[in-house]
Amino acid sequence: MQKLDYDQLTNCMRCGFCLPACPTFKETGIEAESPRGRISLMKAAVDGLMEPGIRFEDQMNHCLGCRACEPACPADVKYGQLIEGARDAIEVHTTQHRWWVKGVRKLVFKELFPSQQRMQLLGTGLHFYKMSGIQKLVRKTGVVGLFSKHMATMEKILPDASGKGIVERLGTFIPAKGKKLGTVGMFRGCLMDVLFTETNISTVKLLTEAGFDVVIPESQNCCGALHAHSGETDQAKQLAKSNIRAFQEAGVDYIISNAGGCGAILVEYDHLLHDEEEWKEDSTWFAKRVKDISTILVEKGRPLRYADTLSPQGPTRVTYQESCHLRNVMKGSQPIKQLLQRVSNTSYIEMKDAGSCCGSAGIYNMTQPDMANQILEHKMENVNATTASYVVTSNPGCLLQMKLGIDKHGQTGHMEAVHIADFLYDRLVKQS
C-alpha cells in the first residue's frame, strides 16, 4: 500500500488492449503473464486478498519492463511505475534471497555501478582478459560452459572493453565545429563508458559536427535504471540527485543520452523524485532537457550529410531494431528512421514488429535466459526476413542481444549489429 499508486491500480479497465503488446503474454498466452494480469495480482496483494509470496515475486520478475503496454492502454495506466513499485516492495520485505544473492546485489548496486572509477577498473580487467590470451584459452577449454551454457554464449559477444572512458579520451569540453548552435551535456553512462567507449566518442563527434559545444560533467554517475527496475529505489534516487546537480552546474541547454534504457529513467527523474518536494523543481528542469542523440540531431542540429560506399550488389540494406524504452517512454523512434533514410547509397528496410522487445531488457537476458532466448528467436525470424547487412540499434542491451541472435543464426559475416551513432559517424561526409 505504501509503494503502489492505488489510483493507477484502479485505472486499469481490464480491457485487454495490452495483451497483444506484451512479449511474455505473446509467448505463453497466460493471463498472469500480461500487464492486466500482473496489475490484478498487485491489487489483490494491496487489498490483502493474497499473500505476495514467491510465486507473486516470480511473476513480477518475469516482466521485461519494456512498457509496450503503455502506448496500447486507452486509460493511460502507468504500468512502468507500478511494476517498479511492486519490485521495490518485494525487495523491502523479501526473505527469499540467499546470503550470496544479497551479497552480489550489494556489490553490484551499491559498490560497482555508482562508482565510475570501479567501472573503469572493471573495463581494465575485461580488456586484459581479452588481450592477454586468457579469453582464447577460456574459449578453447570451454571452461565457462561448465558453469552455464548461457554464460558461455554471452561471453562470445563480449564487446571490446576499456579502462579509459570518454573523459580520458576527449576531455570534459569539446567545442562545436563551425557556428555554435547550443551547449549540450553528454550523459556517458556507466556500462556505456567502459564497454562502448567508441560509441560515446562517435556520439560526441556527431554533436560537435552538428553545431554543439559538448560538456561531459565528471561528477555524473550511473543513471539508476537497473536500480529502479530491480527494487533498489532509494539508491536510484541518490544517483538521480547526483546527476541533477552535475548537469545543473554544467549549465547545459540539453542532456544527451545514446542509450534508450538510460534515457527512459533520465526523462522520468521528476517522477522518481515526485515525493520529495525540495527536488521537484530541479528534477523537472532535468527531465525536460533529456533528449536522445537522434532526436537532437533531427530537431536542433545543423543538417549533416551521410553516405555509404556502394557495394557491387547495389545499395546496402539496413534495418532498425527499436529500443523499447526509446520507443515507449522517450517516444523517439521516428528520428532514427529519418536519419537512416538520409544515408545515401543505402536501402532502409522496415522490420516487421521492429518495436517488439528483443529479450535483452537490462539484465533480463541473464536473470531470465529461457524466456529471453524464446523472445530472441522470434525476433530473429523478423530480422532474417529483412536480409539486411546492418541491424541498427539505439541501446547497448539491444545491441548485444542482436549480436547474440546473429551469432546463433550463423549470420556473422553476412549481417552486423551496430549502434546508430557509430553507423552514422562512420558514414558522415565531413564538411570542408
Side-chain angles (χ1 to χ4, degrees), residues 389-400:
S389 298
Y390 291 96
V391 182
V392 175
T393 75
S394 53
N395 189 58
C398 300
L399 180 60
L400 291 179

Side-chain angles (χ1 to χ4, degrees), residues 254-267:
Y254 298 101
I255 299 154
I256 307 304
S257 168
N258 59 5
C262 295
I265 192 168
L266 296 176
V267 81

